[in-house]
Each structure stands twice: as structure tokens, then as C-alpha cells.
Amino acid sequence: MAVLTSLTRFPSSSSSSFLSSNARHLFLSPSSPSFSIKRRFNLFSFKPSRSFAPMSSSSSSAPLQEKITAPYGSWKSPITADIVSGASKRLGGTAVDSRGRLVWLESRPNESGRGVLVVEGEKEAIDITPKELAVRTLTQEYGGGAFRISDDQLVFSNYKDQRLYTQHILHKDSSPKPITPDYGSPAVTYADGVFDSRFHRYITVREDGRQDTSNPITTIVEVNLSGDTLDEPKVLVSGNDFYAFPRLDPNCERLAWIEWTHPNMPWDKAQLWVGYISEAGNIDKRVCVAGCDPEYVESPTEPKWSPRGELFFVTDRKNGFWNIHKWIESTNEVVSVYPLDAEFAKPLWVFGTNSYEIIECSEEKNIIACSYRQKGKSYLGILDDSKGSCSLLDIPLTDYDNITLGNQCLYVEGASAVLPPSVAKVTLDQHKTKALSSEIVWSSSPDVLKYKAFFSVPELIEFPTEVPGQNAYAYYYPPTNPLYNASMEEKPPLLVKSHGGPTAESRGSLNLNIQYWTSRGWAFVDVNYGGSTGYGREYRERLLRRWGIVDVDDCCGCAKYLVSSGKADVKRLCISGGSAGGYTTLAALAFRDVFKAGASLYGVADLKMLKEEGHKFESRYIDNLVGEEKDFYERSPINFVDRFSCPIILFQGLEDKVVTPDQSRKIYQALKEKGLPVALVEYEGEQHGFRKAENIKYTLEQQMVFFARVVGGFQVADDISPLKIDNFDTSSDA
């Protein structure tokens, strides 16, 4: 066999829009009669009753087409890789301006992932961001909280130089102006800011890497909004390793914030502080609200002041679930607003999350719009703290992300089993307990409903783990295609997905990446292994000191459970994952004998290298996940190449600072030398997660063809030129 080199993909001159492989997985129901989708934002128009009706023989006058019998994996599908990679924009946050218009940040893969702020117009949406700029922050590598609006003034972070800019969005000719100094390189980043009208300044989190890019200094600073001089931002809060959620009270007299220190991650243990602002604008006095009491191990997050100046926040004290709490300032006590074994917040991977909004407050009561996760399902509700009740809203969303308060309405980010990530405008009744109507005002993929008949609807499954009495969870997607059947004797190939994080959660909503597989005859399962979020602290902490064991066991256990249930072919079990999910993939292939092939997307092969070369935010993360020095060695797949026994394909961005390219190169070279079928694809200009449409497409297609060739036993229907596989192809092969 000829020895073939790895492939490096360079940016092309053109690209199309994409559906991110990391897009939110949201779970909705399309049955609400009050639901509509309108052209208001130049989206799409249809009659809801018809568009949401299931496709069946009774819903069409066309004659029934007899299904074709063909092997699983060989089915032809209209959901092509071009459609997947070109289907979706990514939402980066929403806000409302002084006119009550919705403003949102969307990344556009057809512009190489450029982030653009857009405002609602009378007839069509209007871009705010000039073409020469892009809105995105690199704070803590994952960013978030890249913009903020107050009245008509906008402050945002520009991707190229990472400086903050201000712009007045009501003036068409208003050009963005920088308000932070130019340091000659993007070594200083900002995120998650808030306007201070009292001192005419912008208070924000700053990450300063001028002295050491591998260990930047994180502080809360003020940026002057007066005058034309670009002053050095003034430090208001410092001394800890990390800060997030600076939030001012209505009178700009108190500042709340979250902070935490190594080796904790913000979901392990954090603190909520309130600082009192002096007449000079400094914080002269501060008090710890949550996280300092040794009686509790908690991780407070998302502080928010009510219009009356009461501080609300989310924390997981006592019951181990992120619930909404309120601070009683006079006694420095914390009270639970609505105790429930459910998660009212998400882990703080990115800045600027907004899981709840205070929509009405008085001495007697506070009315709060909130979303929460419970046992794999999402709920949207209106919480009344005076009654201790939560009224669920009847809208066509059953899974949710951020909530933004509008004028007499809510803007809710969500999706469903048949709708992609979207923003729904929800109008409430006068009592603010019921939804009068809802409409989709933004969609990441307006045209995907035409493929609804090919969508596989996920089934939430619970399966036993290696620990007696403990179960884990997953979303199973059966092969689905209205034009094809397989023979009764055949079981489908199964692709197991191990999500990233690992402190994260998969959700059972429309993801065209998954539908690409299922519509071609693959079974697909998205595993929420022990350590995932959404199930409380106890479930989340199953992974502490056991990363590479619990997650691997659960992914293997889920695959074996589906085989025993008759839903998968034991000889065609494959696994794929990105980032931390890529580590789980490689560990499963090295240390277990369940899967027949795997795909790692920017996955971790060497835990020690990850610890030494990783960025500050996660530099101590794996200490708690792995444990002792010997565990770092014993759980690193790169140290046990002799245990690999099946084909692997790897994909890597060359600008990745979270998992550096050396990780993929080391595993590729080792497997190549061992003689196993292996391929490596490297992408110029990509970081941690692929944003460019052509790279999303290529990754998806090559995974499919790779698995088909090495374990599938079938020919894919698509016309795809396969890349060469080391130790598999000869020079004359494709």
C-alpha cells in the first residue's frame, strides 16, 4: 500500500451559509393553534395548519409512491450536505432598542462566519454592522455577550481588533467609533457589558493578555463614553481569576457580579458579590451574597435587578438544581423563589446568557418569565413569587434558550423537532399568565420545512449504566425516509454522538446535521452521559475525576442498549464527537471494544498536552475531571495507540487554541505508523469549531463516505469524491 499524506483544506473564494455543528439542539411541538410564521423579517409565509400537518396519504391528492427497498445507509435524500452547510445562521443574542424593535446578532457562514447585528425594519430587516466590521468577542475563547444596547446607543466588540465600538442605531449615517485603545494586536478583549447612565460609562469584563497571552488578567473595568479621548479603561473589580455578569441596579448605585477562582469552573463553585458605588464612581464597599457560606457548595449565576432594586439570581444551593433565588439585602439572606428539581440556567460557557426576565414587580409580587429543563424536557413559564406558582405557557416551543423582554411581549429563542433555531415573539394576556399569540420573527433556516417528511423525530431514552441503580439519558433518532425501506432482516448502522463540554447537554431538536444521517438510513443517538448538564449537580458531578471512564462507559452502554433493543447493527457501530466529545470518541476507541470506526473533530488525544497548552479558562478544568498525574497518562488515548483496532478520521482547525493541532497530528501519525486506516483533514482559518460553509460540508460528507467504506457494506447515494485513507487505499483507489 502507498503511504498517503494528510489533507489540508484552504479557504475557498466562495462559500454558502451553514448550519453549525454546534448549533443549539432545541425541542418544540408545532401543534399550537395560535402559532404563525410571518414575512415580517423577510422570512417565509405559509398557512400554519397546512405546513404543520404531518405528511401522509390523506394530506395529498398525489398517488402513493411505493417505497423502494434498499440497504440502510444507501438511501437517497434531498437533505444534502450543501443544504446542511448552507441552511443556517447562528444566533448570538437578542435585545430591544428604544423603539421596541428587536435587534439580534447573527453569524453568516456565507460571509465566513462574520457576525452581523441586525434590526427589525418596517418591511425587512436592516443590517447595522458595516461590511468591514464583524461582531464577536474572543474573551475566554468562547465569547458571548458581544454587544449591548441602551436606548439607541450600541456598544459591540469587533472581531478583528477586539476593541469596543459605539454606534447610534437610529441614525442611518452613524458610523461605529472605537472607545477602547488600540494596543496593536487583539490581546485585550471585552465581554458582557452594561451601561452606567450615572457616570456615563460602560462597565464590562476585560481579559488582558498583554503581559501573558496564556494567562491573561481578568477584571471588571469601566470604559468612558464621554469625549473623544480613548482613555485606558479603569479597573473597578479585580483580584480573582474570573468575572462575569456585571449588572447595575436601576439607580446605578450597586453593582452585582459573579466571580470564581482556580481550580473551579463557574458551575463547580462561584460567588455572587454586590459592590456599593461611591460618589466618585468607585466600589468602596462590597458584600458576598452567595457562595461564601461554608454550609453550601453552590454556583450562583445570572444576577438580575428588578425595577424596584431587588436582586434575583440563579443558584443550586440545598437541592442541587439551578433555581431562582432573591437576596434580602437588609439581613443579607437568600430565599428561594420557586424550589423545583429542575435547571433554570445553563453552565457558564459563554457570556451574556439570559434564562429569565422580570416582567412585573411590586411590593406584593414579582412576575418572572423563565425557562427550565427537567428530565430531558424544556418548559417555558410565568413565575409568581407571591403564590409560589409557575404557569406554563402554551406556545409551539417545547425547548428554549434565552429570553428577552420586549414591549408587552417576550422574545424567546427556541426550536423544535421540525423547526430550526428561531426567535418567537410571544404576546401575553393582561394578567401575564397566558400566551395570546406567538410568531416566528427570525429563523436560522427559513426553508427547511420543505424537508419535513424526511425528519426523524427523536425519542428520549433512559438506559442503565455500569453503576447499579444509575441510569443515563439520550435522544435516539431512527432512520427515516418516506421513499425507502430496508429489508426486515437488516438492522441499521448506528452513529453515536458524544457531545462536547464535557459539561454540556444535547437536546432533541431539529439539527440538519443529524437529519443528514437518518434520512440516508442511519440510526443516530445523541448521548447525555453522566456529567452532562440539565439533570442537576449530582448527575453533573458523576464525571468528577472520572472523565474518560463514565462518559465512555455511557456511550458504549447506550450503543449496546440499542443493539439489544433491535435498533442497531452490532457490526456497524460508529462514534463521533467534537472537542471534549472527540476525546470521548478516541477514548472509547482506545479503551473499549464496542465501536467499529470513529470520527474525531478537534478532539483531545493527550490530556497532559491539553492541560499545558490550553487557554486560561479551562487550564484547571481537567484537574477536577481527571485527578492524579497518573490518571492523565492512563486516560490519554495517545499513550495507548496499541489498543486502537479500527479506522479513524480526524478533522482539525489550524487556528484552534483550545485543542491545538498537535493533538490531532500526534494521533494521526501514531495510527498511521501502526498501520490502521486513518485520515486527517486540517482547515486553514478555522478555530475551535468550524464556521465556514465549505468546511462544514466537507466534514459531513467525508465522515459519511469514510464510515461507508470502512464498515458500512453499502454504497452511498451521493456523488462524493472520497479522500484517500492511509493504510486503506492504494495509489489506484479513489
Side-chain angles (χ1 to χ4, degrees):
M1 291 186 181
V3 179
L4 306 175
T5 59
S6 64
L7 173 67
T8 300
R9 296 276 294 179
F10 293 88
S12 67
S13 58
S14 63
S15 62
S16 59
S17 59
F18 79 122
L19 176 62
S20 167
S21 59
N22 295 324
R24 303 284 185 192
H25 298 172
L26 309 167
F27 196 47
L28 297 89
S29 168
S31 59
S32 173
S34 61
F35 178 69
S36 65
I37 297 181
K38 299 188 175 181
R39 293 190 64 87
R40 184 175 172 188
F41 287 5
N42 215 17
L43 298 180
F44 48 94
S45 178
F46 59 91
K47 295 179 181 179
S49 59
R50 183 170 183 176
S51 294
F52 285 105
M55 286 193 177
S56 66
S57 58
S58 61
S59 62
S60 174
S61 59
L64 288 174
Q65 180 176 345
E66 185 177 348
K67 287 191 174 185
I68 302 169
T69 299
Y72 286 117
S74 69
W75 302 349
K76 191 169 182 61
S77 168
I79 305 175
T80 64
D82 278 313
I83 289 169
V84 176
S85 64
S88 175
K89 301 180 288 288
R90 181 186 297 177
L91 190 65
T94 57
V96 175
D97 70 4
S98 60
R99 295 182 180 180
R101 301 180 301 175
L102 181 66
V103 178
W104 65 92
L105 172 62
E106 62 182 36
S107 67
R108 299 172 176 173
N110 60 340
E111 299 180 35
S112 297
R114 186 173 79 97
V116 181
L117 282 163
V118 186
V119 63
E120 170 189 4
E122 292 183 4
K123 295 183 179 179
E124 60 182 20
I126 303 168
D127 285 1
I128 300 172
T129 309
K131 293 186 180 299
E132 65 273 14
L133 300 179
V135 181
R136 183 184 171 195
T137 176
L138 295 177
T139 306
Q140 292 183 179
E141 295 300 327
Y142 299 110
F147 76 99
R148 179 75 69 173
I149 292 175
S150 178
D151 294 328
D152 73 328
Q153 186 174 13
L154 167 69
V155 169
F156 67 89
S157 176
N158 181 48
Y159 173 59
K160 185 175 182 180
D161 57 15
Q162 288 296 295
R163 299 171 72 187
L164 290 180
Y165 287 71
T166 185
Q167 183 179 4
H168 291 275
I169 62 176
L170 292 184
H171 307 295
K172 292 183 178 180
D173 298 329
S174 175
S175 299
K177 295 181 180 180
I179 56 174
T180 53
D182 183 359
Y183 299 111
S185 67
V188 179
T189 65
Y190 307 87
D192 203 14
V194 61
F195 288 88
D196 183 351
S197 59
R198 181 182 171 198
F199 293 98
H200 200 55
R201 60 185 178 178
Y202 188 71
I203 298 176
T204 184
V205 175
R206 181 181 72 177
E207 191 176 63
D208 188 347
R210 284 176 289 178
Q211 295 182 357
D212 185 354
T213 56
S214 64
N215 188 31
I217 299 171
T218 305
T219 55
I220 296 176
V221 301
E222 68 166 62
V223 177
N224 184 18
L225 295 177
S226 303
D228 297 325
T229 60
L230 297 178
D231 301 325
E232 179 71 18
K234 175 184 175 182
V235 175
L236 295 176
V237 183
S238 63
N240 217 328
D241 291 317
F242 303 98
Y243 295 92
F245 290 109
R247 297 293 183 263
L248 278 168
D249 74 358
N251 295 324
C252 301
E253 295 175 345
R254 295 167 295 176
L255 179 72
W257 69 86
I258 299 294
E259 64 178 62
W260 67 99
T261 186
H262 281 318
N264 296 307
M265 296 300 284
W267 47 82
D268 294 326
K269 190 176 181 181
Q271 297 174 347
L272 168 60
W273 288 79
V274 170
Y276 294 85
I277 301 173
S278 69
E279 292 298 322
N282 301 315
I283 296 177
D284 293 338
K285 174 188 172 184
R286 64 185 70 185
V287 59
C288 185
V289 174
C292 297
D293 189 338
E295 184 179 347
Y296 304 111
V297 175
E298 59 181 324
S299 50
T301 185
E302 291 196 47
K304 189 184 299 289
W305 298 92
S306 76
R308 295 182 64 246
E310 293 180 306
L311 180 62
F312 291 80
F313 61 98
V314 177
T315 191
D316 58 348
R317 60 168 54 191
K318 293 186 179 180
N319 70 349
F321 288 85
W322 276 313
N323 287 184
I324 299 176
H325 290 68
K326 182 170 69 172
W327 179 45
I328 309 301
E329 184 176 12
S330 59
T331 57
N332 194 24
E333 291 180 291
V334 171
V335 296
S336 177
V337 174
Y338 185 68
L340 187 68
D341 287 354
E343 302 277 54
F344 285 76
K346 300 179 289 296
L348 203 166
W349 279 106
V350 297
F351 291 99
T353 55
N354 201 56
S355 302
Y356 68 102
E357 283 278 19
I358 302 169
I359 59 179
E360 183 180 300
C361 66
S362 66
E363 285 191 26
E364 293 77 25
K365 64 180 178 180
N366 292 280
I367 305 297
I368 302 172
C370 59
S371 64
Y372 61 87
R373 294 278 293 172
Q374 188 175 47
K375 296 181 179 179
K377 296 182 180 180
S378 288
Y379 301 88
L380 181 70
I382 302 296
L383 196 157
D384 184 335
D385 68 346
S386 67
K387 298 179 180 178
S389 64
C390 186
S391 303
L392 298 181
L393 296 183
D394 182 20
I395 65 173
L397 311 179
T398 60
D399 193 60
Y400 314 93
D401 208 346
N402 296 317
I403 301 172
T404 297
L405 182 62
N407 292 344
Q408 307 299 318
C409 68
L410 299 172
Y411 291 102
V412 181
E413 299 175 26
S416 80
V418 297
L419 287 176
S422 308
V423 177
K425 180 180 179 181
V426 181
T427 302
L428 302 175
D429 67 355
Q430 60 179 350
H431 302 294
K432 298 181 174 62
T433 59
K434 296 181 180 179
L436 294 178
S437 64
S438 60
E439 61 178 290
I440 298 297
V441 293
W442 181 89
S443 173
S444 61
S445 312
D447 298 324
V448 300
L449 281 173
K450 68 177 71 173
Y451 307 111
K452 182 186 171 188
F454 293 83
F455 292 165
S456 177
V457 177
E459 171 192 347
L460 178 62
I461 63 172
E462 186 175 352
F463 59 93
T465 69
E466 294 289 321
V467 179
Q470 280 191 357
N471 290 344
Y473 306 89
Y475 292 99
Y476 170 73
Y477 297 78
T480 303
N481 189 311
L483 304 179
Y484 288 90
N485 275 329
S487 67
M488 296 292 292
E489 297 77 21
E490 186 185 7
K491 302 298 181 185
L494 173 70
L495 181 59
V496 174
K497 179 189 173 186
S498 54
H499 66 66
T503 310
E505 180 187 9
S506 294
R507 298 190 178 190
S509 70
L510 183 63
N511 181 347
L512 289 188
N513 197 307
I514 294 175
Q515 303 300 330
Y516 178 85
W517 294 89
T518 56
S519 63
R520 283 164 174 74
W522 280 74
F524 193 105
V525 66
D526 213 347
V527 183
N528 278 321
Y529 47 77
S532 301
T533 58
Y535 300 88
R537 178 179 282 269
E538 183 179 349
Y539 193 87
R540 195 165 70 242
E541 291 185 345
R542 288 186 188 179
L543 208 58
L544 293 183
R545 305 179 74 85
R546 294 179 63 78
W547 190 31
I549 299 175
V550 171
D551 51 323
V552 170
D553 284 343
D554 287 354
C555 285
C556 293
C558 185
K560 290 187 286 187
Y561 173 81
L562 291 172
V563 169
S564 65
S565 302
K567 296 180 177 180
D569 183 351
V570 69
K571 297 181 179 180
R572 294 187 290 178
L573 301 179
C574 301
I575 185 170
S576 176
S579 189
Y583 166 70
T584 302
T585 293
L586 293 173
L589 296 172
F591 304 128
R592 303 292 188 276
D593 188 22
V594 173
F595 299 102
K596 308 306 178 185
S600 171
L601 284 68
Y602 39 92
V604 179
D606 189 331
L607 292 173
K608 185 177 181 181
M609 183 185 293
L610 176 68
K611 180 179 178 179
E612 293 173 348
E613 298 184 357
H615 58 123
K616 178 185 175 183
F617 177 57
E618 293 182 272
S619 62
R620 302 290 300 278
Y621 181 28
I622 61 173
D623 288 354
N624 288 332
L625 289 174
V626 179
E628 305 298 330
E629 190 69 26
K630 65 180 181 64
D631 298 316
F632 278 80
Y633 180 87
E634 292 175 356
R635 293 189 213 155
S636 293
I638 190 63
N639 298 324
F640 298 92
V641 177
D642 59 307
R643 298 189 184 181
F644 283 98
S645 60
C646 66
I648 300 175
I649 187 168
L650 307 115
F651 300 88
Q652 179 69 47
L654 292 179
E655 295 182 9
D656 193 337
K657 295 181 180 179
V658 179
V659 179
T660 58
D662 283 344
Q663 296 258 356
S664 293
R665 289 170 179 170
K666 284 182 68 176
I667 201 75
Y668 162 74
Q669 192 61 38
L671 295 179
K672 180 180 176 182
E673 291 175 0
K674 188 186 178 185
L676 285 176
V678 63
L680 170 64
V681 179
E682 296 180 325
Y683 294 121
E684 289 281 352
E686 292 283 18
Q687 299 171 335
H688 196 64
F690 307 146
R691 292 174 174 265
K692 298 178 181 179
E694 63 269 28
N695 296 339
I696 299 293
K697 173 188 175 183
Y698 192 80
T699 301
L700 187 58
E701 288 184 333
Q702 293 305 324
Q703 278 188 84
M704 172 72 72
V705 174
F706 182 86
F707 289 148
R709 296 180 69 201
V710 298
V711 302
F714 56 82
Q715 186 74 30
V716 297
D718 305 81
D719 185 14
I720 301 171
S721 297
L723 58 77
K724 291 184 178 180
I725 303 171
D726 289 287
N727 302 320
F728 185 83
D729 288 319
T730 64
S731 58
S732 61
D733 288 333

